[in-house]
Amino acid sequence: MEENARKRILCPLDPKHTVYEDQLAKHLKKCNSREKPKPDFFIQDINAGLKDETEIPEQLVPISFLSEEQMENLIKKLRKASEGLNSTLKDQIMSHPALHDALNDPKNGDSATKHLKQQASILGNIEKLKLLGPRRCFVEFGAGKGKLSHWVDIALKDAEKVHFILVEKVTTRFKVDGKHRKKNSVFERLQIDIQHLCLNKIPLLSKEKLPVVGIGKHLCGVATDLALRCLVETYAASCEERNEEPLAKRVKNDKTEKEINTLAKEGNEKNIPEKWTPVAGIVIALCCHHRCDWRHYVGKEYFRALGLGAVEFHYFQRMSSWATCGMQKTSLEASNISTKRKDKQNDGSEEHDDGGYRITDDSTESLPGFLTVEEKKKIGHLCKLLIDQGRINYLQQKGFNPALQYYTDPLVSLENVLLTALPNHSSSPETTA
């Protein structure tokens, strides 16, 4: 484009905007789309898992292209692999006084109420596991607006030495972090993909040596596996290799009798486990199993032991969406739900409409006709359970005592399973998996 004898050209870093050609060199130095220096805690693919080309399946056909015989074989494999698994988990629906006023606010709409109920239950489960206490760092994966950390901070009041690290790979609007700037707790937001996050390179953690509590609300498919590997392998293993003793453990060991009595009166001592590890616990509300990825999945060893591999995982992952895709809805209703979801995403609302029906590319039209709606839902839930069981097995192998439980009513959210884990020496959650 010519303007006053000066030519404007597309920016080579981002063609969505233009720049004067004679000012290109100057613009490239300050363009917001330029590649910024990577922080020390960015290590390419550190949590990605091993890439084995021989296990990556070739282009697989969609489920709708499979013959009835192929589908029946897949379902037989699924049912055989799931034998012995308890398909009905224990209800662990809880609440917490910190959210009492918010839950009873008459201004709440249905969506706000559903999110608050889930946050209250997650908070109640964190407290039940004795993870809600001072001298620790809460790392919220897939933090979004940071509301889960917000309520954890409210519940902790003025507990000493509490830090929050909020991990989110995209820019987020309407963040609540700013509400905590004048409080004792420290909030730090990292815009990074969990796949590349090395926790022990974060100055706060490398300096303070605080035990970490990994938390998350509706952490999408692959992000859950990346977060587990980030906590259990990248962080915990590296701390143990360096024989680092978390600060909280040293503080506890060095406490005077007066300090211990003070803490006991405040009710904080009960939330300090007898023995500390780099990762004190994990509490993650699971979501979107159809967005898992074989390379990043932490339960490969479990699948292989069952005679399953990347191909079966791929189809089980796709079939898992049958549990939540709303197959009883008409196509018009589904279209309206999909439109509402897009509108919510555009206005900066929560990424998941938890109480609604998730529409995926394996929609009703692509499902095999020899199965009833209820059978498809049961198969979908079985796929989710098997994928989650691989995660349970992984955590057990890494020295944790994990469990799966329902943390909210399916009328509040169809994605209502909570994964919790404590180190083996800690007070154990009831095993329901």
Side-chain angles (χ1 to χ4, degrees), residues 103-268:
L103 280 166
N104 291 284
D105 188 340
K107 296 179 182 178
N108 288 338
D110 288 343
S111 178
T113 300
K114 287 177 179 180
H115 285 295
L116 287 168
K117 284 181 178 179
Q118 293 170 74
Q119 289 154 355
S121 184
I122 294 172
L123 198 57
N125 276 280
I126 292 173
E127 184 171 57
K128 182 177 184 290
L129 296 172
K130 299 183 179 180
L131 295 173
L132 197 63
R135 303 184 194 88
R136 63 201 65 192
C137 178
F138 293 88
V139 179
E140 183 179 356
F141 294 95
K145 301 171 190 175
K147 288 188 175 178
L148 183 56
S149 291
H150 164 79
W151 290 115
V152 171
D153 187 47
I154 295 294
L156 286 171
K157 298 179 180 177
D158 294 319
E160 63 175 346
K161 240 175 178 36
V162 177
H163 296 265
F164 293 89
I165 295 176
L166 280 60
V167 182
E168 179 57 69
K169 70 176 181 179
V170 296
T171 303
T172 307
R173 299 168 65 197
F174 311 117
K175 297 185 287 288
V176 297
D177 315 14
K179 296 180 180 180
H180 302 268
R181 285 175 186 163
K182 295 181 180 179
K183 297 192 68 173
N184 294 333
S185 50
V186 177
F187 275 68
E188 182 177 358
R189 180 173 284 266
L190 307 180
Q191 188 174 334
I192 185 174
D193 192 315
I194 305 169
Q195 183 169 331
H196 314 300
L197 174 62
C198 182
L199 284 177
N200 53 30
K201 295 285 186 181
I202 296 174
L204 170 67
L205 289 176
S206 60
K207 178 184 177 183
E208 299 288 351
K209 305 294 188 299
L210 291 170
V212 164
V213 179
I215 61 175
K217 177 178 174 286
H218 284 174
L219 198 55
C220 271
V222 65
T224 295
D225 296 301
L226 295 173
L228 292 178
R229 194 175 282 112
C230 177
L231 290 165
V232 173
E233 293 185 43
T234 307
Y235 185 64
S238 65
C239 288
E240 288 167 5
E241 284 174 8
R242 295 198 302 262
N243 293 319
E244 290 182 353
E245 187 177 279
L247 176 64
K249 182 179 177 181
R250 284 185 274 116
V251 169
K252 182 176 175 62
N253 290 340
D254 295 341
K255 274 187 225 161
T256 63
E257 185 177 346
K258 181 180 178 181
E259 287 174 312
I260 292 173
N261 290 335
T262 302
L263 282 170
K265 288 178 183 178
E266 294 173 354
N268 289 330

Side-chain angles (χ1 to χ4, degrees), residues 379-390:
I379 288 169
H381 282 294
L382 214 51
C383 289
K384 292 165 83 73
L385 180 64
L386 190 64
I387 291 171
D388 289 338
Q389 190 61 36

Side-chain angles (χ1 to χ4, degrees), residues 286-300:
L286 304 173
C287 184
C288 298
H289 294 70
H290 63 278
R291 294 179 66 178
C292 290
D293 183 278
W294 177 252
R295 179 192 173 183
H296 305 309
Y297 181 51
V298 296
K300 286 182 186 177

